[in-house]
Amino acid sequence: MSSKSQTHELRWTAPIAIRIGRRSAEFIHGPAEAIDYLEHRWPFLDGPCLEAAKRRCVEAMNSLGHIEVAREAFISAAAEAKVLT
């Protein structure tokens, strides 16, 4: 198994529920999934929590930071964007 595929398997201790727009709640399970949302589906294009979440998720995926620190950063970004359920 390549190291790249292993990074996509990283999972947080508990998923984070978010709701973007009028869609039903969606669950984010780890940093790779979070990065996809932050870069392609996020309702805000800028913000201090958004940038921190991106950085922490990339660090976790590259084994440079703790996965739960990335989770907390994503929660902060979701709260900042008012998508946390």
Side-chain angles (χ1 to χ4, degrees), residues 23-77:
R23 298 178 142 195
S24 59
E26 299 176 72
F27 294 90
I28 311 304
H29 298 92
E33 193 175 359
I35 285 289
D36 183 54
Y37 274 77
L38 292 167
E39 291 184 345
H40 303 291
R41 300 191 53 211
W42 216 240
F44 288 165
L45 299 177
D46 194 21
C49 293
L50 171 65
E51 295 307 315
K54 286 181 185 179
R55 186 171 48 256
R56 298 294 179 244
C57 287
V58 169
E59 288 171 354
M61 290 169 56
N62 290 309
S63 301
L64 299 172
H66 195 277
I67 191 168
E68 293 304 315
V69 171
R71 182 179 184 277
E72 291 301 317
F74 183 77
I75 289 171
S76 294

Side-chain angles (χ1 to χ4, degrees), residues 1-42:
M1 183 180 292
S2 75
S3 62
K4 182 170 178 145
S5 63
Q6 288 175 345
T7 62
H8 291 285
E9 294 175 6
L10 290 175
R11 289 191 171 253
W12 293 323
T13 54
I16 299 164
I18 63 168
R19 178 173 293 136
I20 297 175
R22 295 178 182 251
R23 298 178 142 195
S24 59
E26 299 176 72
F27 294 90
I28 311 304
H29 298 92
E33 193 175 359
I35 285 289
D36 183 54
Y37 274 77
L38 292 167
E39 291 184 345
H40 303 291
R41 300 191 53 211
W42 216 240

